[in-house]
Amino acid sequence: MAPLLELQDFHYYYGNIHTVKGINMQVNEGEMVTIIGANGAGKTTTLQTISGLTNSKGVRGKIIFDGKEIQGFHGHKVASLGLCQVLEGRHVFSKLTVEENLLTGAYLRKDTKNIKEDLKGIYKRFPRLEERRTQLGGTLSGGEQQMLAIGRALINKPKMILLDEPSLGLAPVIVKEVFKAIREINSEGVTVLFVEQNSKIALNTAHRGYVMQVGEVAMEGFCKDLLVDEEVKKAYLGG
């Protein structure tokens, strides 16, 4: 079976700066895969290019999603294929209510009759959002905004979700709650690829992982193996 997402000899250039250098990566349907690495390794650029959020002139190589080459597609086109991203820093609409924020995620859906039912499902997953459904997005805590950003992606009923630094700026107890939700989403059939600075929680959550260094994939494998690899432990897991 072909991977749901595949990068083939993928490069990205910001002008003359070669930020991602010929990486190969794949994510199978139903998997949860993580990308770890230091700041500047090219992780976020990789996710944003997959999602159609970077300048397509900088792309070399192929990005294949669900059997289609999508390199150069704009973000709305990528989302319409069932590939949605939760951006680093949440990026909720601060002057819209929680419910209005969630509904913006459904703008591509044609089955409008089912949106209300799916909204109930998101509130069931994140009860705090239901409690605050009339509250402005900008007044939520960081953890609540992360839940809102994930819920906004889910209401589009994606085949796959990309998450960029889902633990960034969150208290440890909220990080556990967010990753519990990510595991549940994956167990329900949504494929997940996420970038995460907290390498320990990333490798304890995902099935497989890629380690990026200065724009290249330095290592890949099952997370259970990466967790005990001496190089990974020394560089990313505190010894």
Side-chain angles (χ1 to χ4, degrees):
M1 186 182 295
L4 182 60
L5 175 71
E6 185 171 16
L7 307 185
Q8 295 179 356
D9 192 28
F10 167 67
H11 298 253
Y12 193 82
Y13 294 83
Y14 282 108
N16 294 323
I17 302 170
H18 195 184
T19 55
V20 183
K21 304 169 183 176
I23 67 172
N24 295 289
M25 193 175 288
Q26 61 183 46
V27 183
N28 298 311
E29 189 170 357
E31 269 195 311
M32 177 153 44
V33 175
T34 188
I35 307 173
I36 64 171
N39 284 333
K43 308 183 302 297
T44 290
T45 297
T46 298
L47 284 198
Q48 290 190 346
T49 307
I50 293 168
S51 299
L53 302 178
T54 56
N55 188 335
S56 61
K57 292 180 180 178
V59 180
R60 303 289 183 276
K62 293 182 179 180
I63 304 171
I64 302 167
F65 176 69
D66 201 18
K68 301 178 183 70
E69 288 190 27
I70 63 169
Q71 66 275 3
F73 282 20
H74 293 299
H76 68 278
K77 176 65 173 175
V78 175
S80 74
L81 298 174
L83 179 56
C84 295
Q85 180 167 350
V86 178
L87 295 167
E88 178 183 339
R90 277 78 77 178
H91 292 274
V92 303
F93 296 105
S94 62
K95 294 186 179 180
L96 297 183
T97 67
V98 165
E99 190 153 305
E100 288 168 342
N101 265 276
L102 290 171
L103 291 173
T104 64
Y107 77 101
L108 290 170
R109 286 183 57 174
K110 295 180 173 63
D111 58 331
T112 52
K113 291 180 182 178
N114 298 322
I115 290 173
K116 284 189 177 180
E117 199 61 35
D118 293 331
L119 196 58
K120 290 178 186 176
I122 289 167
Y123 285 146
K124 186 176 179 181
R125 186 184 303 283
F126 298 118
R128 263 185 270 185
L129 296 184
E130 184 171 25
E131 292 167 11
R132 293 158 173 73
R133 64 184 182 276
T134 60
Q135 193 170 320
L136 296 182
T139 65
L140 301 181
S141 69
E144 290 162 352
Q145 288 189 4
Q146 187 64 277
M147 294 170 195
L148 180 55
I150 293 171
R152 185 174 59 190
L154 285 177
I155 204 166
N156 193 42
K157 299 186 77 66
K159 298 173 186 173
M160 183 172 183
I161 286 183
L162 312 182
L163 299 111
D164 194 357
E165 303 287 5
S167 78
L168 185 69
L170 304 184
V173 65
I174 302 300
V175 170
K176 287 182 181 178
E177 194 172 339
V178 166
F179 272 91
K180 178 176 179 285
I182 294 169
R183 284 191 291 270
E184 289 172 353
I185 291 162
N186 177 244
S187 72
E188 291 164 9
V190 179
T191 305
V192 177
L193 173 64
F194 69 95
V195 160
E196 179 54 55
Q197 281 267 264
N198 186 331
S199 301
K200 187 170 288 187
I201 196 167
L203 295 177
N204 276 298
T205 300
H207 304 129
R208 290 190 302 111
Y210 290 86
V211 181
M212 286 188 70
Q213 293 177 356
V214 288
E216 299 178 333
V217 172
M219 196 178 300
E220 63 181 277
F222 290 105
C223 289
K224 60 184 177 62
D225 298 324
L226 294 174
L227 276 165
V228 297
D229 183 271
E230 290 303 322
E231 285 185 42
V232 174
K233 285 167 69 175
K234 185 177 179 181
Y236 303 107
L237 303 176

